[in-house]
Protein backbone atom coordinates (compact mmCIF):
# COMPACT_ATOMS: atom_id res chain seq x y z
CA UNK A 1 0.00 0.00 0.00
CA UNK A 2 1.37 3.41 -0.88
CA UNK A 3 2.25 5.74 1.97
CA UNK A 4 0.12 8.38 0.33
CA UNK A 5 -2.98 6.21 0.26
CA UNK A 6 -2.98 4.76 3.71
CA UNK A 7 -5.88 5.64 5.98
CA UNK A 8 -5.80 4.00 9.39
CA UNK A 9 -8.82 4.26 11.64
CA UNK A 10 -9.13 7.96 10.95
CA UNK A 11 -6.09 8.75 13.13
CA UNK A 12 -3.57 9.04 10.31
CA UNK A 13 -2.63 12.51 9.06
CA UNK A 14 -3.48 13.38 5.45
CA UNK A 15 -0.85 11.66 3.35
CA UNK A 16 -0.71 8.68 5.70
CA UNK A 17 2.10 7.14 7.69
CA UNK A 18 3.71 3.79 8.34
CA UNK A 19 1.76 2.00 11.03
CA UNK A 20 2.28 -1.63 12.10
CA UNK A 21 0.15 -1.56 15.25
CA UNK A 22 -3.19 0.26 15.31
CA UNK A 23 -4.48 2.18 18.34
CA UNK A 24 -6.75 -0.82 19.02
CA UNK A 25 -3.79 -3.17 19.18
CA UNK A 26 -4.27 -4.80 15.77
CA UNK A 27 -1.08 -5.87 14.03
CA UNK A 28 -0.62 -4.69 10.41
CA UNK A 29 1.57 -7.31 8.72
CA UNK A 30 3.59 -4.92 6.60
CA UNK A 31 3.43 -1.53 4.94
CA UNK A 32 4.92 -0.70 1.56
CA UNK A 33 5.59 2.97 0.94
CA UNK A 34 5.38 4.83 -2.37
CA UNK A 35 9.07 4.21 -3.10
CA UNK A 36 8.51 0.44 -2.90
CA UNK A 37 10.10 -0.15 0.51
CA UNK A 38 8.28 -2.70 2.65
CA UNK A 39 8.43 -2.34 6.42
CA UNK A 40 7.64 -5.08 8.91
CA UNK A 41 8.94 -6.56 12.16
CA UNK A 42 9.64 -10.13 13.12
CA UNK A 43 9.76 -10.25 16.91
CA UNK A 44 9.56 -13.24 19.20
CA UNK A 45 6.85 -13.26 21.86
CA UNK A 46 9.48 -12.39 24.43
CA UNK A 47 10.73 -9.43 22.36
CA UNK A 48 7.21 -8.03 22.12
CA UNK A 49 6.89 -8.31 25.90
CA UNK A 50 10.26 -6.61 26.42
CA UNK A 51 9.21 -3.67 24.25
CA UNK A 52 6.12 -3.28 26.40
CA UNK A 53 8.28 -3.39 29.53
CA UNK A 54 10.52 -0.67 28.11
CA UNK A 55 7.53 1.57 27.35
CA UNK A 56 6.05 1.21 30.81
CA UNK A 57 9.40 1.66 32.51
CA UNK A 58 10.35 4.87 30.74
CA UNK A 59 6.89 6.33 31.38
CA UNK A 60 7.11 5.43 35.07
CA UNK A 61 10.55 7.01 35.41
CA UNK A 62 9.28 10.12 33.64
CA UNK A 63 6.27 10.33 35.96
CA UNK A 64 8.60 10.14 38.94
CA UNK A 65 10.74 12.93 37.51
CA UNK A 66 7.69 15.15 37.04
CA UNK A 67 6.69 14.50 40.66
CA UNK A 68 10.21 15.29 41.86
CA UNK A 69 10.12 18.58 40.01
CA UNK A 70 6.74 19.45 41.51
CA UNK A 71 8.14 18.75 44.95
CA UNK A 72 10.99 21.18 44.35
CA UNK A 73 13.65 18.51 43.94
CA UNK A 74 14.41 19.30 40.29
CA UNK A 75 14.79 22.77 38.81
CA UNK A 76 13.01 21.78 35.63
CA UNK A 77 11.93 18.62 33.78
CA UNK A 78 11.25 18.00 30.09
CA UNK A 79 8.74 15.16 30.01
CA UNK A 80 8.60 12.51 27.30
CA UNK A 81 4.96 11.63 28.08
CA UNK A 82 3.28 10.40 24.88
CA UNK A 83 6.56 9.96 22.99
CA UNK A 84 7.59 6.64 24.53
CA UNK A 85 7.01 4.55 21.40
CA UNK A 86 8.96 6.87 19.10
CA UNK A 87 11.89 6.77 21.51
CA UNK A 88 11.90 3.13 22.58
CA UNK A 89 11.30 1.83 19.04
CA UNK A 90 14.06 3.91 17.45
CA UNK A 91 16.41 3.40 20.41
CA UNK A 92 16.07 -0.38 20.25
CA UNK A 93 16.62 -0.21 16.48
CA UNK A 94 20.14 1.08 17.01
CA UNK A 95 22.90 -1.49 16.78
CA UNK A 96 25.58 -1.38 19.49
CA UNK A 97 28.06 0.45 17.25
CA UNK A 98 25.61 3.22 16.28
CA UNK A 99 25.95 6.71 17.75
CA UNK A 100 22.96 8.78 18.92
CA UNK A 101 22.72 12.56 19.33
CA UNK A 102 19.76 13.50 21.56
CA UNK A 103 17.97 16.72 22.50
CA UNK A 104 16.94 17.25 26.12
CA UNK A 105 13.84 15.01 25.96
CA UNK A 106 15.29 11.65 24.90
CA UNK A 107 15.14 9.91 28.29
CA UNK A 108 13.57 6.89 26.59
CA UNK A 109 16.39 6.55 24.07
CA UNK A 110 18.90 7.03 26.89
CA UNK A 111 17.28 4.11 28.71
CA UNK A 112 17.59 1.83 25.67
CA UNK A 113 21.32 2.64 25.45
CA UNK A 114 21.81 1.03 28.86
CA UNK A 115 22.68 4.29 30.63
CA UNK A 116 21.73 4.50 34.29
CA UNK A 117 18.56 6.66 34.23
CA UNK A 118 19.99 8.76 37.08
CA UNK A 119 22.57 10.26 34.71
CA UNK A 120 20.67 13.30 33.40
CA UNK A 121 19.20 14.13 36.81
CA UNK A 122 22.21 16.10 38.01
CA UNK A 123 21.56 18.49 35.14
CA UNK A 124 17.85 18.91 35.92
CA UNK A 125 18.60 19.22 39.65
CA UNK A 126 21.34 21.71 38.91
CA UNK A 127 24.09 19.89 40.81
CA UNK A 128 26.29 18.75 37.93
CA UNK A 129 26.58 18.99 34.16
CA UNK A 130 24.47 15.89 33.65
CA UNK A 131 27.15 14.16 31.68
CA UNK A 132 28.14 10.63 30.81
CA UNK A 133 30.81 9.33 28.50
CA UNK A 134 29.28 9.56 25.00
CA UNK A 135 31.80 7.09 23.63
CA UNK A 136 31.11 4.48 26.27
CA UNK A 137 27.35 4.43 25.64
CA UNK A 138 27.31 5.69 22.06
CA UNK A 139 24.91 8.39 23.22
CA UNK A 140 26.01 12.00 23.15
CA UNK A 141 25.21 14.36 26.01
CA UNK A 142 21.89 16.24 26.02
CA UNK A 143 21.76 19.34 23.83
CA UNK A 144 19.52 22.25 24.77
CA UNK A 145 20.47 24.48 21.83
CA UNK A 146 17.69 23.66 19.37
CA UNK A 147 18.95 21.82 16.30
CA UNK A 148 22.67 22.11 17.11
CA UNK A 149 23.08 18.36 17.61
CA UNK A 150 22.05 17.69 14.01
CA UNK A 151 25.25 19.42 12.91
CA UNK A 152 27.34 17.57 15.49
CA UNK A 153 25.80 14.33 14.27
CA UNK A 154 26.45 15.20 10.63
CA UNK A 155 30.09 15.98 11.36
CA UNK A 156 30.41 12.74 13.30
CA UNK A 157 28.79 10.78 10.46
CA UNK A 158 31.16 12.32 7.90
CA UNK A 159 34.03 11.52 10.26
CA UNK A 160 33.26 7.83 10.61
CA UNK A 161 33.01 7.60 6.84
CA UNK A 162 36.49 9.12 6.51
CA UNK A 163 37.69 6.63 9.13
CA UNK A 164 36.42 3.77 6.96
CA UNK A 165 33.89 2.62 9.55
CA UNK A 166 30.91 2.52 7.20
CA UNK A 167 30.00 1.00 3.87
CA UNK A 168 29.11 -2.52 4.92
CA UNK A 169 26.54 -4.44 6.94
CA UNK A 170 28.68 -4.27 10.11
CA UNK A 171 29.43 -0.59 9.69
CA UNK A 172 28.49 2.26 12.00
CA UNK A 173 25.59 4.65 11.57
CA UNK A 174 24.41 7.80 13.33
CA UNK A 175 21.00 9.00 14.48
CA UNK A 176 20.14 12.61 15.30
CA UNK A 177 17.00 13.41 17.29
CA UNK A 178 15.20 16.74 17.06
CA UNK A 179 11.73 18.22 17.20
CA UNK A 180 9.26 19.76 14.78
CA UNK A 181 10.26 23.24 15.90
CA UNK A 182 13.92 22.50 15.27
CA UNK A 183 13.21 22.03 11.56
CA UNK A 184 12.91 25.83 11.30
CA UNK A 185 16.46 26.29 12.57
CA UNK A 186 19.32 27.10 10.20
CA UNK A 187 21.42 24.37 11.81
CA UNK A 188 19.01 21.66 10.68
CA UNK A 189 18.99 23.01 7.13
CA UNK A 190 22.79 22.95 7.07
CA UNK A 191 22.85 19.44 8.51
CA UNK A 192 20.47 18.27 5.77
CA UNK A 193 22.55 19.96 3.05
CA UNK A 194 25.86 18.53 4.22
CA UNK A 195 24.49 15.06 4.88
CA UNK A 196 22.76 14.92 1.52
CA UNK A 197 25.72 16.18 -0.46
CA UNK A 198 28.25 13.99 1.34
CA UNK A 199 25.95 10.99 1.51
CA UNK A 200 26.55 10.80 5.25
CA UNK A 201 25.52 7.64 7.15
CA UNK A 202 22.88 9.37 9.24
CA UNK A 203 19.22 9.06 10.17
CA UNK A 204 17.42 12.27 11.07
CA UNK A 205 14.72 11.30 13.55
CA UNK A 206 12.22 14.12 13.98
CA UNK A 207 9.69 13.67 16.75
CA UNK A 208 6.87 15.82 15.51
CA UNK A 209 5.01 16.24 18.80
CA UNK A 210 2.93 19.02 17.18
CA UNK A 211 4.37 21.88 19.25
CA UNK A 212 7.51 23.91 19.76
CA UNK A 213 6.63 25.13 23.24
CA UNK A 214 3.43 27.07 22.36
CA UNK A 215 3.96 27.26 18.60
CA UNK A 216 1.89 24.69 16.70
CA UNK A 217 3.19 22.76 13.71
CA UNK A 218 1.45 25.03 11.18
CA UNK A 219 3.80 27.83 12.25
CA UNK A 220 6.79 25.73 11.12
CA UNK A 221 5.75 24.32 7.77
CA UNK A 222 3.26 24.35 4.89
CA UNK A 223 4.04 20.75 3.91
CA UNK A 224 4.43 17.56 5.98
CA UNK A 225 7.90 17.59 7.49
CA UNK A 226 9.02 14.26 6.03
CA UNK A 227 8.61 15.70 2.52
CA UNK A 228 11.30 18.28 3.24
CA UNK A 229 13.88 15.51 2.68
CA UNK A 230 13.11 15.43 -1.06
CA UNK A 231 14.52 18.91 -1.46
CA UNK A 232 17.83 17.77 -0.02
CA UNK A 233 17.99 14.65 -2.16
CA UNK A 234 17.32 11.89 0.34
CA UNK A 235 14.25 9.90 1.34
CA UNK A 236 11.74 10.98 3.95
CA UNK A 237 9.32 8.61 5.69
CA UNK A 238 6.51 9.41 8.08
CA UNK A 239 5.65 6.92 10.77
CA UNK A 240 2.99 6.63 13.41
CA UNK A 241 5.16 7.86 16.24
CA UNK A 242 2.89 6.22 18.82
CA UNK A 243 3.55 2.81 17.30
CA UNK A 244 6.68 1.23 18.74
CA UNK A 245 6.77 -1.39 15.97
CA UNK A 246 6.72 1.14 13.13
CA UNK A 247 9.35 3.19 14.94
CA UNK A 248 11.59 0.13 15.24
CA UNK A 249 11.06 -1.14 11.69
CA UNK A 250 11.63 2.12 9.85
CA UNK A 251 14.56 3.25 11.99
CA UNK A 252 16.28 -0.14 11.69
CA UNK A 253 15.90 -0.09 7.89
CA UNK A 254 17.12 3.50 7.60
CA UNK A 255 20.13 2.88 9.84
CA UNK A 256 21.05 -0.23 7.87
CA UNK A 257 20.87 1.73 4.63
CA UNK A 258 23.06 4.42 6.14
CA UNK A 259 25.70 1.97 7.37
CA UNK A 260 25.72 0.30 3.95
CA UNK A 261 26.66 3.57 2.28
CA UNK A 262 23.23 4.50 0.95
CA UNK A 263 23.10 7.90 2.62
CA UNK A 264 20.71 9.69 4.96
CA UNK A 265 16.99 9.30 5.69
CA UNK A 266 14.59 11.67 7.41
CA UNK A 267 12.03 9.95 9.64
CA UNK A 268 9.13 12.03 10.87
CA UNK A 269 7.58 10.36 13.91
CA UNK A 270 4.07 11.76 14.06
CA UNK A 271 3.26 11.92 17.76
CA UNK A 272 1.99 14.21 20.49
CA UNK A 273 3.47 15.83 23.57
CA UNK A 274 0.88 14.81 26.16
CA UNK A 275 2.36 16.95 28.91
CA UNK A 276 3.73 20.45 29.14
CA UNK A 277 6.78 21.50 27.10
CA UNK A 278 8.68 21.52 30.37
CA UNK A 279 7.58 21.89 33.96
CA UNK A 280 7.88 25.67 33.46
CA UNK A 281 5.15 25.69 30.81
CA UNK A 282 1.36 25.81 31.05
CA UNK A 283 -0.07 24.22 27.88
CA UNK A 284 -3.69 25.06 28.79
CA UNK A 285 -2.90 28.59 27.60
CA UNK A 286 -2.46 27.55 23.98
CA UNK A 287 -4.21 24.24 23.32
CA UNK A 288 -7.67 22.87 23.99
CA UNK A 289 -8.48 19.90 26.19
CA UNK A 290 -10.34 18.02 23.44
CA UNK A 291 -7.15 17.87 21.37
CA UNK A 292 -5.28 16.22 24.23
CA UNK A 293 -8.22 13.85 24.75
CA UNK A 294 -8.21 12.75 21.11
CA UNK A 295 -4.54 11.80 21.41
CA UNK A 296 -5.19 9.76 24.56
CA UNK A 297 -7.03 7.29 22.33
CA UNK A 298 -3.77 6.76 20.42
CA UNK A 299 -1.69 6.05 23.50
CA UNK A 300 1.46 4.07 22.68
CA UNK A 301 1.31 1.85 25.76
CA UNK A 302 -2.36 0.88 25.78
CA UNK A 303 -2.20 -0.29 22.15
CA UNK A 304 0.76 -2.54 22.97
CA UNK A 305 -1.08 -3.88 26.01
CA UNK A 306 -4.18 -4.55 23.87
CA UNK A 307 -2.03 -6.38 21.34
CA UNK A 308 -0.30 -8.56 23.96
CA UNK A 309 -3.66 -9.38 25.55
CA UNK A 310 -5.48 -10.19 22.29
CA UNK A 311 -2.63 -12.35 21.06
CA UNK A 312 -2.43 -14.04 24.49
CA UNK A 313 1.24 -13.16 24.72
CA UNK A 314 0.89 -11.84 28.26
CA UNK A 315 -1.43 -12.26 31.23
CA UNK A 316 -2.40 -10.22 34.28
CA UNK A 317 0.61 -11.52 36.24
CA UNK A 318 2.97 -10.22 33.58
CA UNK A 319 1.39 -6.77 33.50
CA UNK A 320 1.51 -6.58 37.29
CA UNK A 321 5.14 -7.62 37.35
CA UNK A 322 6.03 -4.93 34.78
CA UNK A 323 4.23 -2.25 36.81
CA UNK A 324 5.87 -3.40 40.03
CA UNK A 325 9.41 -3.50 38.69
CA UNK A 326 8.97 -0.11 37.00
CA UNK A 327 7.74 1.34 40.28
CA UNK A 328 10.71 -0.15 42.12
CA UNK A 329 13.11 1.43 39.64
CA UNK A 330 11.34 4.78 39.96
CA UNK A 331 11.44 4.75 43.77
CA UNK A 332 15.11 3.81 43.67
CA UNK A 333 15.71 6.70 41.28
CA UNK A 334 13.87 9.05 43.64
CA UNK A 335 16.05 8.02 46.59
CA UNK A 336 19.23 8.49 44.61
CA UNK A 337 18.15 11.89 43.26
CA UNK A 338 17.44 13.10 46.80
CA UNK A 339 20.87 11.88 47.89
CA UNK A 340 22.78 13.74 45.17
CA UNK A 341 25.37 15.94 46.86
CA UNK A 342 25.37 19.68 46.27
CA UNK A 343 28.55 20.73 44.46
CA UNK A 344 31.13 23.13 45.90
CA UNK A 345 30.66 26.46 44.06
CA UNK A 346 34.29 26.47 42.93
CA UNK A 347 33.78 23.31 40.84
CA UNK A 348 32.05 25.62 38.38
CA UNK A 349 35.50 26.21 36.88
CA UNK A 350 36.33 22.53 36.42
CA UNK A 351 36.15 20.87 33.02
CA UNK A 352 35.99 24.14 31.09
CA UNK A 353 39.00 23.05 29.05
CA UNK A 354 40.41 19.52 28.94
CA UNK A 355 43.92 20.73 29.86
CA UNK A 356 43.07 23.84 31.88
CA UNK A 357 43.69 27.47 31.00
CA UNK A 358 45.64 30.23 32.81
CA UNK A 359 42.68 32.63 32.46
CA UNK A 360 40.18 30.20 33.97
CA UNK A 361 42.69 29.27 36.71
CA UNK A 362 43.04 32.98 37.61
CA UNK A 363 39.27 33.41 37.74
CA UNK A 364 38.98 30.33 39.92
CA UNK A 365 41.61 31.66 42.35
CA UNK A 366 39.82 35.02 42.56
CA UNK A 367 36.49 33.26 43.16
CA UNK A 368 38.09 31.21 45.98
CA UNK A 369 39.52 34.35 47.60
CA UNK A 370 36.15 36.05 47.35
CA UNK A 371 34.37 33.14 49.04
CA UNK A 372 37.08 32.87 51.69
CA UNK A 373 36.47 36.55 52.55
CA UNK A 374 33.13 35.53 54.06
CA UNK A 375 34.65 32.99 56.43
CA UNK A 376 33.81 33.74 60.03
CA UNK A 377 31.05 36.19 59.07
CA UNK A 378 27.37 35.47 59.47
C1 LIG B 1 18.71 27.96 19.47
C2 LIG B 1 17.60 27.96 20.47
N1 LIG B 1 16.57 28.80 20.34
C3 LIG B 1 15.56 28.80 21.22
C4 LIG B 1 15.58 27.92 22.29
C5 LIG B 1 14.42 27.92 23.29
N2 LIG B 1 13.65 26.69 23.11
C6 LIG B 1 13.79 25.65 23.95
S1 LIG B 1 12.82 24.34 23.51
C7 LIG B 1 12.19 25.19 22.18
C8 LIG B 1 11.15 24.54 21.29
C9 LIG B 1 11.64 23.31 20.59
O1 LIG B 1 10.58 22.66 19.95
P1 LIG B 1 10.77 21.32 19.18
O2 LIG B 1 11.96 21.39 18.31
O3 LIG B 1 9.48 21.00 18.53
O4 LIG B 1 11.11 20.25 20.32
P2 LIG B 1 10.20 19.74 21.54
O5 LIG B 1 10.57 20.58 22.74
O6 LIG B 1 8.78 19.90 21.16
O7 LIG B 1 10.59 18.33 21.78
C10 LIG B 1 12.74 26.47 22.11
C11 LIG B 1 12.37 27.46 21.08
C12 LIG B 1 16.71 27.09 22.43
N3 LIG B 1 16.81 26.22 23.45
N4 LIG B 1 17.69 27.10 21.51
MG1 LIG C 1 7.95 19.78 19.22
Amino acid sequence: MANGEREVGGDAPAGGFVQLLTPDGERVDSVTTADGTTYTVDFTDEEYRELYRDLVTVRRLDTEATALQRQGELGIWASLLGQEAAQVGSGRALRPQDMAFPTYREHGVLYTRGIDPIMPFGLFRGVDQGGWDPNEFKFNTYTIVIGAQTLHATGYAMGITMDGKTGNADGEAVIAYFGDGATSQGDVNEAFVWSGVFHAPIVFFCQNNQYAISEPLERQTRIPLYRRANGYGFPGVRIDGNDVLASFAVTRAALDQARNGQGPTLIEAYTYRMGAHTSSDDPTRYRIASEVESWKARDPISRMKAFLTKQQLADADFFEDVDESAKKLALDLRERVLAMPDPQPVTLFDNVYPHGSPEVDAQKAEFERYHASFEGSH
Side-chain angles (χ1 to χ4, degrees), residues 83 105 179-182 207-213 273:
Q83 299 178 218
R105 205 185 290 286
D180 44 294
Q207 287 171 84
N208 173 5
N209 63 7
Q210 315 297 331
Y211 288 92
I213 315 184
R273 196 197 73 212

mmCIF file of all heavy atoms in Angstrom, residues 83 105 179-182 207-213 273, ligand 2:
data_model
loop_
_atom_site.group_PDB
_atom_site.id
_atom_site.type_symbol
_atom_site.label_atom_id
_atom_site.label_comp_id
_atom_site.label_asym_id
_atom_site.label_seq_id
_atom_site.Cartn_x
_atom_site.Cartn_y
_atom_site.Cartn_z
ATOM 1 N N GLN A 83 5.548 10.200 24.022
ATOM 2 C CA GLN A 83 6.555 9.963 22.991
ATOM 3 C C GLN A 83 7.361 8.682 23.257
ATOM 4 O O GLN A 83 8.411 8.457 22.655
ATOM 5 C CB GLN A 83 7.479 11.183 22.871
ATOM 6 C CG GLN A 83 6.709 12.434 22.472
ATOM 7 C CD GLN A 83 7.542 13.705 22.386
ATOM 8 O OE1 GLN A 83 7.077 14.776 22.768
ATOM 9 N NE2 GLN A 83 8.765 13.629 21.892
ATOM 10 N N ARG A 105 15.057 15.727 25.609
ATOM 11 C CA ARG A 105 13.836 15.011 25.961
ATOM 12 C C ARG A 105 13.968 13.502 25.745
ATOM 13 O O ARG A 105 13.028 12.760 25.953
ATOM 14 C CB ARG A 105 12.686 15.549 25.089
ATOM 15 C CG ARG A 105 11.307 15.377 25.688
ATOM 16 C CD ARG A 105 10.220 15.831 24.710
ATOM 17 N NE ARG A 105 10.153 17.251 24.475
ATOM 18 C CZ ARG A 105 9.674 18.147 25.348
ATOM 19 N NH1 ARG A 105 9.218 17.757 26.508
ATOM 20 N NH2 ARG A 105 9.660 19.432 25.062
ATOM 21 N N GLY A 179 13.173 18.035 17.183
ATOM 22 C CA GLY A 179 11.730 18.216 17.204
ATOM 23 C C GLY A 179 11.206 18.922 15.967
ATOM 24 O O GLY A 179 11.976 19.348 15.101
ATOM 25 N N ASP A 180 9.896 19.053 15.901
ATOM 26 C CA ASP A 180 9.261 19.755 14.779
ATOM 27 C C ASP A 180 9.716 21.215 14.715
ATOM 28 O O ASP A 180 9.994 21.752 13.645
ATOM 29 C CB ASP A 180 7.739 19.676 14.899
ATOM 30 C CG ASP A 180 7.260 19.949 16.316
ATOM 31 O OD1 ASP A 180 7.578 19.127 17.198
ATOM 32 O OD2 ASP A 180 6.612 20.985 16.563
ATOM 33 N N GLY A 181 9.829 21.841 15.884
ATOM 34 C CA GLY A 181 10.257 23.241 15.899
ATOM 35 C C GLY A 181 11.673 23.401 15.389
ATOM 36 O O GLY A 181 12.001 24.385 14.706
ATOM 37 N N ALA A 182 12.515 22.436 15.680
ATOM 38 C CA ALA A 182 13.921 22.503 15.265
ATOM 39 C C ALA A 182 14.071 22.549 13.751
ATOM 40 O O ALA A 182 15.072 23.060 13.233
ATOM 41 C CB ALA A 182 14.685 21.302 15.823
ATOM 42 N N GLN A 207 10.928 13.947 16.018
ATOM 43 C CA GLN A 207 9.689 13.672 16.754
ATOM 44 C C GLN A 207 8.790 14.892 16.600
ATOM 45 O O GLN A 207 8.995 15.911 17.261
ATOM 46 C CB GLN A 207 9.988 13.413 18.233
ATOM 47 C CG GLN A 207 10.630 12.057 18.468
ATOM 48 C CD GLN A 207 11.119 11.901 19.882
ATOM 49 O OE1 GLN A 207 10.363 11.548 20.762
ATOM 50 N NE2 GLN A 207 12.395 12.175 20.104
ATOM 51 N N ASN A 208 7.838 14.747 15.702
ATOM 52 C CA ASN A 208 6.870 15.816 15.513
ATOM 53 C C ASN A 208 5.794 15.646 16.580
ATOM 54 O O ASN A 208 4.823 14.910 16.393
ATOM 55 C CB ASN A 208 6.289 15.746 14.103
ATOM 56 C CG ASN A 208 5.152 16.728 13.911
ATOM 57 O OD1 ASN A 208 4.845 17.527 14.806
ATOM 58 N ND2 ASN A 208 4.525 16.687 12.755
ATOM 59 N N ASN A 209 5.993 16.342 17.698
ATOM 60 C CA ASN A 209 5.006 16.244 18.795
ATOM 61 C C ASN A 209 4.000 17.398 18.717
ATOM 62 O O ASN A 209 3.333 17.709 19.684
ATOM 63 C CB ASN A 209 5.704 16.179 20.154
ATOM 64 C CG ASN A 209 6.510 17.436 20.470
ATOM 65 O OD1 ASN A 209 6.451 18.428 19.740
ATOM 66 N ND2 ASN A 209 7.249 17.401 21.559
ATOM 67 N N GLN A 210 3.941 18.010 17.549
ATOM 68 C CA GLN A 210 2.933 19.020 17.176
ATOM 69 C C GLN A 210 3.183 20.415 17.737
ATOM 70 O O GLN A 210 2.512 21.357 17.318
ATOM 71 C CB GLN A 210 1.499 18.575 17.535
ATOM 72 C CG GLN A 210 1.159 17.145 17.159
ATOM 73 C CD GLN A 210 1.214 16.871 15.653
ATOM 74 O OE1 GLN A 210 0.982 17.754 14.843
ATOM 75 N NE2 GLN A 210 1.558 15.649 15.269
ATOM 76 N N TYR A 211 4.129 20.563 18.639
ATOM 77 C CA TYR A 211 4.369 21.876 19.246
ATOM 78 C C TYR A 211 5.855 22.150 19.466
ATOM 79 O O TYR A 211 6.620 21.236 19.787
ATOM 80 C CB TYR A 211 3.666 21.995 20.613
ATOM 81 C CG TYR A 211 2.171 22.124 20.474
ATOM 82 C CD1 TYR A 211 1.369 20.994 20.510
ATOM 83 C CD2 TYR A 211 1.579 23.362 20.262
ATOM 84 C CE1 TYR A 211 -0.008 21.094 20.351
ATOM 85 C CE2 TYR A 211 0.205 23.473 20.092
ATOM 86 C CZ TYR A 211 -0.579 22.344 20.140
ATOM 87 O OH TYR A 211 -1.931 22.454 19.964
ATOM 88 N N ALA A 212 6.217 23.408 19.307
ATOM 89 C CA ALA A 212 7.514 23.909 19.759
ATOM 90 C C ALA A 212 7.168 24.911 20.870
ATOM 91 O O ALA A 212 6.795 26.043 20.593
ATOM 92 C CB ALA A 212 8.257 24.596 18.626
ATOM 93 N N ILE A 213 7.232 24.444 22.094
ATOM 94 C CA ILE A 213 6.627 25.130 23.237
ATOM 95 C C ILE A 213 5.174 25.449 22.860
ATOM 96 O O ILE A 213 4.388 24.529 22.652
ATOM 97 C CB ILE A 213 7.421 26.364 23.717
ATOM 98 C CG1 ILE A 213 8.944 26.049 23.794
ATOM 99 C CG2 ILE A 213 6.922 26.801 25.100
ATOM 100 C CD1 ILE A 213 9.816 27.158 24.357
ATOM 101 N N ARG A 273 2.929 15.553 22.231
ATOM 102 C CA ARG A 273 3.471 15.832 23.566
ATOM 103 C C ARG A 273 2.288 15.924 24.524
ATOM 104 O O ARG A 273 1.581 16.925 24.547
ATOM 105 C CB ARG A 273 4.234 17.164 23.501
ATOM 106 C CG ARG A 273 5.162 17.430 24.649
ATOM 107 C CD ARG A 273 5.531 18.903 24.686
ATOM 108 N NE ARG A 273 4.410 19.690 25.143
ATOM 109 C CZ ARG A 273 4.142 20.948 24.753
ATOM 110 N NH1 ARG A 273 4.918 21.568 23.898
ATOM 111 N NH2 ARG A 273 3.093 21.584 25.234
HETATM 112 MG MG1 LIG B 2 7.952 19.782 19.219
#
